Amino acid sequence: MLKLTPAERSSLRAEAHALSPVVIIGEAGLTPGVLKEIDASLDSHGLIKVRVFGDDREARVAIYDTICEKLDTAPVQHIGKLLVVYRPKKDAVKERSETRGRGMREVTIVKPSPSGTKRPSVTKVMVKGNERVTQGGSIKRAKPRQASPKKSSLGR
């Protein structure tokens, strides 16, 4: 279980004020599926609210303690049926997939002068990943847009 200083806890409470409950625990209680969902929410958000339905305060405190122990989280706040827990986000390294296209890139376009006696014009242009530069120096899409079957049947 993580330990927070009072100042950290106070700032996290202020941050959690605007949050909505991400996970709701019903009659079945704290099942493995609910724990897995809380774990996934903590990985993506870091600070979450959990709503517990049930009138038994001792059961809610037991659920709060179990979540903090099993998922290695810090208890931030417990008000009524709302539990606020915090765990620092894991820094996931995003690797670029080979299937995605390239991002923006800078391309230099050199066009000869119309008369042929003056210097060629040089322009630098930002090109998107799905665009290409033609031999004449204009920018076109690399692939044509997909045509909508609905629009093509209407004759547009």
Side-chain angles (χ1 to χ4, degrees):
M1 192 155 73
L2 291 174
K3 297 288 183 190
L4 296 174
T5 64
E8 290 173 331
R9 184 172 284 116
S10 176
S11 68
L12 287 172
R13 265 188 284 172
E15 195 177 322
H17 180 70
L19 297 178
S20 298
V22 178
V23 179
I24 297 173
I25 300 174
E27 289 179 16
L30 198 59
T31 61
V34 172
L35 271 174
K36 187 175 178 183
E37 187 64 31
I38 292 172
D39 189 35
S41 298
L42 283 167
D43 285 342
S44 61
H45 299 291
L47 178 69
I48 64 167
K49 272 187 185 177
V50 179
R51 181 176 297 279
V52 181
F53 288 121
D55 295 328
D56 189 13
R57 179 173 170 73
E58 289 78 28
R60 287 195 303 264
V61 171
I63 287 173
Y64 196 38
D65 292 337
T66 307
I67 290 172
C68 292
E69 287 173 16
K70 287 192 177 182
L71 299 179
D72 193 33
T73 62
V76 176
Q77 190 175 29
H78 174 205
I79 293 183
K81 296 181 180 184
L82 283 177
L83 314 174
V84 180
V85 291
Y86 170 74
R87 183 173 66 194
K89 285 193 222 178
K90 296 176 184 170
D91 294 332
V93 179
K94 292 185 178 179
E95 295 183 22
R96 191 178 181 104
S97 67
E98 298 299 321
T99 58
R100 290 193 55 201
R102 296 185 305 210
M104 299 280 286
R105 62 190 189 279
E106 188 175 350
V107 176
T108 305
I109 299 174
V110 180
K111 287 186 180 180
S113 68
S115 64
T117 57
K118 297 180 182 173
R119 291 185 176 183
S121 64
V122 178
T123 54
K124 292 189 176 188
V125 182
M126 292 299 287
V127 180
K128 297 177 188 166
N130 65 340
E131 294 176 338
R132 64 183 173 89
V133 180
T134 62
Q135 226 172 359
S138 58
I139 298 172
K140 290 192 173 180
R141 285 181 179 263
K143 300 173 192 162
R145 274 195 177 157
Q146 284 185 325
S148 165
K150 190 173 183 181
K151 286 185 179 176
S152 62
S153 69
L154 294 174
R156 290 185 185 173

